[in-house]
Amino acid sequence: MLKKTLDISSSPHIYKGGSTNQIMKNVVWALLPVVLFSVYSFGLNALLVIAMATIASVLTEHVLCRLSKKESTVSDYSAVITGLLLGLTLPPSFPLWMAFIGGVIGIALGKYIFGGLGYNVFNPALVARAVLQAAFPVAITTWHPAFLPNRFSTISSSVFTWPFMEPTFDAVSGATPLSAFKFDGVTTSTAELAFGQISGSAGETCAVIIVLGGLYLIARNMMNWRIPAAVLLSAFVLSGVLYLINSEVYPSPWFMLFSGGLMLGAVFMATDMVSSPITPLGLWVYGGIIGILTIVIRIWGGLSEGVMYSILLANAISPHIDTVIKNRVYGTKRKMKAA
Amino acid sequence: MALFNLHKNTFKHGIHPPESKDETNGLPIRQFPFAPVIILPMAQHIGAPSQIMVREGQEVQRGQLLAKATGYVSVPMHAPVSGTVRKIANVPTISGKMSTGIYLEAFPSSTQEILEGKPIDPETATPEEILQGIQNAGIVGLGGAAFPTHVKLKIPEGKKCDTLIINGVECEPYLTTDHRVMLEQENDIFTGIKYLLKATGAQKAIIGIEANKQDAADHLAKHIPNDLPVSVQVLPVKYPQGAEKMLITSIMGKEIPSGKLPIEAGVVVVNVATTAEIGRLLPHGRGIQERVITITGPGVKKKGNYLIPVGTPLRFVLEQVGVDEEISEVYMGGPMMGVAVSNLNISIVKGTSGILVFTKKDVGRSPTIYPCIKCGACVDACPILLNPSKLGILAKFEAYNEMASDFNLMDCFECGSCSYVCPSHIPLVQYFRLSKRIVRKREAEKKEEVHA
Ligand code: SF4
Ligand code: SF4
């Protein structure tokens, strides 16, 4: 005898499978080698800073969900990504209490006030980074040399600074290749840059590992290749043109590509789906803006690094890119006028 | 300009769901047993329901006219079996609404011979006579739309039809109805094309078939009669290529303007099974009594392609083929656009192209819905090149008017590709169906106000 009741549902009745939470999980996988290299080159300091930023993000997400009586969204992994990315952009000897504040800010101000995952305008990790940079300008630009022999046995005193106390940094301090170039006119070799033999934020120093992580996500169709391609291409072309004009003043495009946070930013930050445009052409424009702005800030701006501000700015205009650049709808002549 | 023709033999975007056709595409069409009682709803096509011409207790012969068309956008209904009209009453339909209908009790030992009518000769008949013949045969789009075919074939004043496209794409997963029809009924198809060319005045016909049915394409190409201007075009496999507009773009490389019909581009599209039906019925002046249906899905025991009388109750069909104890959902049509059945007491109608039975574990819907992460998968899937992500967000905020005015909501033809790919499992097309209905209702209300 046949069953009396049937479930009903609206078509389609088959689905591709895969989920947002799976995508996020894979981003975490792709970031792990970057974290490991960071710990390998900067030692316990980096481990603590990254861990603290991540714990703070996840905790904040959980608490905020509970406070607003919603189910906790920690399991979608997006808070983990925010925490990891924030940790990776901080100097390895950054005070832990500041990293903690960063994690809280990233989730609370970067994401939650916009309405949670999917509604944030900016990349939450970069919001946190920007606030930290404004609040703690010294701590966030005090770099730490890589590959210190005692990196797995000692922890810099600055890391354990009491909350709201000025950190005292250890005497040793490594200039980043970008600041060395900007303020002292010294460039670093591309090979050193690509393989992370340098000083910098915890996770930005090994370009090769970052690129591999990106390629993994692109291969799994979990990252839009157009964004890193557009960012890197535009940065390369602009700095290349400048280099051709005057190689005395301007650094080589390879140096620009592999130094600072450009790789990490292009592959893991600019590609945040939520805060980037949705059409292919829109993505090229968005990436192009980031690449060009980064070089402009680096060369003519007051800062040695411009990736963060470039991405934040591009995030801000990304919704507008989507209103102006739309796919031409089938059977219509023009693109729809801007709404 | 041919040098710059970048037309790729297919339309833009679309998706590649698993085809799931292997289990039935090799099975020849088999006659299904007659059910003891046939239940025929009068509303089984788009347009006005047919008007019943018989009375309770009357004996009818298979193929006899039971109900006539009410007006132009309507078709008559013929007796699918010889038997007695037991009852005229409301019968359930798949939409959940009731429709007037006929309960027809089959004669147990009848030979079920089919009544002949006035034949229509494709050589001598005028286009009008052919269109009339198609209407009289009760023919509607068998691909699933169930729109009266003669209406679609009527070329409006001032328009010209150059090309007749025969739709043998069958892009819905699981379905193999058209595939089998193309392999087994080539003569009916070519006869049908002869009528259609005459009726539309088209110079040539192109049969569009996806590459997963290469055998059918080869078979038809081999049997094209010498005097018929027909060609077969094989297209790459992609859903929803069977949608009229997509098929025209795939074959001709041009787009149909938004809100317009294919005739704008000088094209008329007819489903291949419908074409075969025309070729089979018109030479005998008969009406449609049965159709080929793929019955398949993980929950079905005797999967196959069956020739089933219209009006056969779904419950009878499933009892005959045997279904899994754990069936949880039954769909009429394919898995992408088919409609879920709430009640097994409905019957097979002219537009039923497939019956798909899923058990609990086959239902792929995910219980967790995440927010839209703007991954763009839906944008890259939409064959109309809409932005389902944005439309989905607007639907959530009930901004229906903005969806229609700024984001082309009304161009969405509900193919479901966006919902299929969304990693956040947002019921996009489900939102859009609702939104479209609301927009249409609002527009109708506005019109009423103007007239009042
Ligand atoms: S596929 Fe889903 S999550 Fe991705 S952009 Fe579209 S609606 Fe958003
Ligand atoms: S259902 Fe509508 S919006 Fe979604 S892919 Fe199909 S046409 Fe596009």
Side-chain angles (χ1 to χ4, degrees), chain B residues 340-362:
Chain B
V341 172
S342 60
N343 175 343
L344 291 179
N345 295 326
I346 63 169
S347 15
I348 300 293
V349 290
K350 292 175 183 174
T352 309
S353 52
I355 295 172
L356 196 58
V357 181
F358 275 16
T359 63
K360 259 250 143 46
K361 66 178 191 316
D362 307 312

Side-chain angles (χ1 to χ4, degrees), chain A:
Chain A
M1 197 48 224
L2 284 176
K3 260 196 355 188
K4 283 250 166 51
T5 56
L6 290 173
D7 293 339
I8 54 167
S9 59
S10 182
S11 65
H13 307 293
I14 51 173
Y15 292 86
K16 189 169 182 197
S19 71
T20 291
N21 139 301
Q22 225 174 58
I23 295 177
M24 299 288 176
K25 227 188 289 184
N26 274 280
V27 175
V28 174
W29 292 135
L31 275 171
L32 279 185
V34 183
V35 172
L36 287 180
F37 184 83
S38 171
V39 173
Y40 166 65
S41 55
F42 293 109
L44 293 174
N45 286 341
L47 182 65
L48 286 173
V49 170
I50 296 171
M52 182 52 96
T54 310
I55 290 168
S57 294
V58 173
L59 211 66
T60 310
E61 174 110 345
H62 189 73
V63 169
L64 284 175
C65 286
R66 278 296 139 92
L67 285 182
S68 54
K69 304 240 179 322
K70 279 193 299 191
E71 211 182 307
S72 176
T73 46
V74 167
S75 62
D76 69 21
Y77 286 88
S78 62
V80 179
I81 297 175
T82 299
L84 287 179
L85 282 177
L86 172 63
L88 290 172
T89 57
L90 295 174
S93 53
F94 200 61
L96 287 183
W97 71 271
M98 294 183 185
F100 183 88
I101 290 194
V104 174
I105 288 175
I107 297 298
L109 292 185
K111 194 165 87 171
Y112 209 78
I113 55 165
F114 291 102
L117 176 65
Y119 297 98
N120 48 300
V121 175
F122 302 101
N123 184 326
L126 287 179
V127 171
R129 175 74 163 66
V131 171
L132 290 180
Q133 176 140 357
F136 313 113
V138 178
I140 212 157
T141 48
T142 305
W143 308 101
H144 189 85
F147 298 106
L148 290 180
N150 61 352
R151 63 190 188 280
F152 294 117
S153 52
T154 49
I155 298 170
S156 305
S157 60
S158 56
V159 169
F160 286 124
T161 313
W162 281 98
F164 306 107
M165 298 299 238
E166 276 296 316
T168 45
F169 289 95
D170 300 357
V172 276
S173 164
T176 69
L178 271 177
S179 54
F181 161 74
K182 178 121 194 162
F183 304 117
D184 308 321
V186 186
T187 59
T188 315
S189 86
T190 309
E192 277 179 282
L193 293 170
F195 294 101
Q197 311 298 311
I198 46 170
S199 166
S201 297
E204 67 183 30
T205 58
C206 185
V208 171
I209 289 185
I210 296 170
V211 169
L212 286 178
L215 288 177
Y216 166 75
L217 289 174
I218 290 169
R220 298 218 50 188
N221 219 348
M222 291 172 172
M223 173 184 290
N224 200 311
W225 60 273
R226 293 180 184 87
I227 299 178
V231 174
L232 299 176
L233 198 72
S234 59
F236 187 81
V237 168
L238 177 59
S239 51
V241 168
L242 292 172
Y243 185 68
L244 287 182
I245 293 172
N246 190 344
S247 61
E248 301 279 297
V249 185
Y250 302 113
S252 93
W254 293 111
F255 173 79
M256 281 306 204
L257 223 49
F258 286 102
S259 60
L262 186 60
M263 236 2 126
L264 188 69
V267 174
F268 283 108
M269 313 256 205
T271 49
D272 171 30
M273 293 164 170
V274 176
S275 49
S276 56
I278 208 159
T279 60
L281 182 60
L283 291 173
W284 282 110
V285 171
Y286 165 86
I289 290 174
I290 294 172
I292 290 169
L293 268 181
T294 302
I295 301 299
V296 168
I297 295 178
R298 279 183 182 181
I299 291 182
W300 291 292
L303 303 160
S304 61
E305 180 53 301
V307 178
M308 175 181 79
Y309 290 113
S310 307
I311 297 178
L312 284 172
L313 203 104
N315 286 162
I317 55 177
S318 155
H320 304 284
I321 295 179
D322 274 339
T323 1
V324 177
I325 301 177
K326 294 180 187 172
N327 282 332
R328 182 189 59 83
V329 172
Y330 178 98
T332 61
K333 284 250 157 45
R334 284 168 297 113
K335 296 188 191 274
M336 295 287 300
K337 69 170 185 348

Side-chain angles (χ1 to χ4, degrees), chain B residues 173-444:
Chain B
Y174 286 99
L175 302 191
T176 53
T177 305
D178 294 345
H179 190 174
R180 292 313 306 181
V181 167
M182 290 190 283
L183 282 172
E184 299 177 36
Q185 305 180 352
E186 68 280 357
N187 291 334
D188 294 335
I189 292 171
F190 292 123
T191 311
I193 290 175
K194 201 178 268 182
Y195 284 108
L196 290 171
L197 285 174
K198 187 111 191 230
T200 55
Q203 296 306 306
K204 59 173 194 287
I206 302 172
I207 308 177
I209 302 175
E210 280 190 349
N212 56 4
K213 293 177 277 293
Q214 188 66 45
D215 54 344
D218 294 341
H219 182 78
L220 287 182
K222 206 168 79 198
H223 289 88
I224 296 174
N226 290 334
D227 57 341
L228 216 56
V230 182
S231 60
V232 174
Q233 191 165 335
V234 177
L235 309 164
V237 179
K238 195 163 70 168
Y239 179 87
Q241 194 145 240
E244 271 192 0
K245 289 185 174 185
M246 302 304 110
L247 180 57
I248 292 168
T249 304
S250 293
I251 288 186
M252 326 260 301
K254 38 182 162 177
E255 293 184 1
I256 305 305
S258 159
K260 292 287 188 330
L261 293 172
I263 193 66
E264 284 301 311
V267 186
V268 168
V269 183
V270 181
N271 165 270
V272 73
T274 313
T275 308
E277 207 60 52
I278 291 170
R280 189 163 39 244
L281 298 174
L282 263 57
H284 304 280
R286 283 178 177 152
I288 187 168
Q289 323 102 36
E290 53 196 1
R291 63 154 301 151
V292 181
I293 299 174
T294 304
I295 303 180
T296 184
V300 174
K301 301 224 169 80
K302 281 182 270 169
K303 303 179 178 66
N305 305 291
Y306 298 98
L307 188 59
I308 305 185
V310 173
T312 304
L314 186 57
R315 182 179 299 279
F316 176 82
V317 172
L318 294 185
E319 279 166 0
Q320 290 293 318
V321 295
V323 291
D324 198 287
E325 293 279 295
E326 294 299 303
I327 64 165
S328 92
E329 303 196 4
V330 176
Y331 315 116
M332 280 204 171
M336 289 302 299
M337 289 181 87
V339 181
V341 172
S342 60
N343 175 343
L344 291 179
N345 295 326
I346 63 169
S347 15
I348 300 293
V349 290
K350 292 175 183 174
T352 309
S353 52
I355 295 172
L356 196 58
V357 181
F358 275 16
T359 63
K360 259 250 143 46
K361 66 178 191 316
D362 307 312
V363 177
R365 224 174 6 265
S366 162
T368 353
I369 295 180
Y370 297 98
C372 167
I373 51 163
K374 306 198 175 62
C375 67
C378 55
V379 174
D380 292 339
C382 179
I384 296 289
L385 285 80
L386 302 178
N387 181 346
S389 153
K390 182 77 185 176
L391 284 168
I393 291 168
L394 289 174
K396 245 181 137 174
F397 291 111
E398 300 181 14
Y400 305 117
N401 292 352
E402 191 184 344
M403 289 168 77
S405 61
D406 294 348
F407 295 93
N408 296 50
L409 169 68
M410 302 318 271
D411 283 315
C412 164
F413 68 102
E414 304 171 23
C415 69
S417 300
C418 48
S419 295
Y420 176 81
V421 296
C422 178
S424 285
H425 314 129
I426 301 171
L428 294 164
V429 67
Q430 291 88 337
Y431 284 158
F432 305 158
R433 259 184 222 125
L434 206 78
S435 309
K436 281 172 72 179
R437 212 173 305 153
I438 292 170
V439 170
R440 271 201 212 104
K441 210 171 123 208
R442 285 187 185 166
E443 267 165 18

Side-chain angles (χ1 to χ4, degrees), chain B residues 52 54-59 84-89 101 103:
Chain B
I52 299 175
V54 290
R55 41 184 174 72
E56 289 184 356
Q58 185 175 337
E59 294 193 349
T84 315
V85 177
R86 265 290 151 249
K87 200 163 66 169
I88 293 177
Y103 287 79

Side-chain angles (χ1 to χ4, degrees), chain B residues 13-30:
Chain B
H13 295 177
I15 55 171
H16 295 97
E19 294 168 24
S20 314
K21 295 177 189 260
D22 289 349
E23 289 193 86
T24 53
N25 61 9
L27 303 175
I29 300 168
R30 276 181 295 166

